[in-house]
Amino acid sequence: QVQLLESGGGLVQPGGSLRLSCLISGRTASNHVTGWFRQVPEKEREFVGGIMFSGTATGYPGSVKGRFTISIDNAKNTVYLQMNSLNPEETGVYYCAGCSSGYKCFAGQTDMYDSWGQGTQVTVRS
């Protein structure tokens, strides 16, 4: 069973940047994907990108492409979500999650992710 723990959330001004971390414990295969999701109030949980554990592939939805970057440090078992040009509508709880279905995980369907962190709050406001 993979366990995930997010950190790095906080308050950031509009247009600012923030980097979240997701510490992964447990055995993962090379095609395991760590995804990032956000839960904005009164909206469904939204996929904001993912990375294969091997580091050979990433995927992003159009809403964040060019602004968000996901990377992995295998030595630290940590996945990072670098977020730039944040806007207030992106305020919410950000989760990392694990998926074992390889490239299919990049579709971002929540029911394909079977392990979740507890989430970290990101607030974007002046």
Side-chain angles (χ1 to χ4, degrees):
Q1 181 74 24
V2 175
Q3 294 181 326
L4 306 103
L5 180 65
E6 306 92 338
S7 61
L11 176 65
V12 61
Q13 292 189 340
S17 299
L18 200 62
R19 189 179 79 159
L20 306 182
S21 300
C22 175
L23 176 63
I24 303 168
S25 59
R27 296 183 64 181
T28 54
S30 61
N31 67 343
H32 180 271
V33 170
T34 300
W36 284 96
F37 293 78
R38 64 184 174 203
Q39 184 80 59
V40 176
E42 301 181 5
K43 290 189 177 180
E44 293 186 355
R45 194 167 294 189
E46 177 189 12
F47 177 71
V48 297
I51 188 167
M52 201 162 283
F53 193 73
S54 63
T56 56
T58 55
Y60 305 92
S63 59
V64 306
K65 193 171 289 184
R67 298 189 299 121
F68 288 15
T69 302
I70 297 174
S71 59
I72 187 167
D73 184 335
N74 292 105
K76 296 182 178 179
N77 284 341
T78 300
V79 172
Y80 302 99
L81 173 64
Q82 176 68 43
M83 304 184 290
N84 299 328
S85 302
L86 285 162
N87 61 70
E89 291 72 34
E90 296 179 301
T91 293
V93 179
Y94 283 69
Y95 300 88
C96 60
C99 173
S100 302
S101 300
Y103 285 96
K104 294 180 181 179
C105 303
F106 291 125
Q109 295 177 295
T110 55
D111 57 1
M112 296 193 69
Y113 286 78
D114 53 13
S115 52
W116 292 81
Q118 86 291 347
T120 185
Q121 175 71 39
V122 172
T123 302
V124 185
R125 71 164 183 252
S126 301

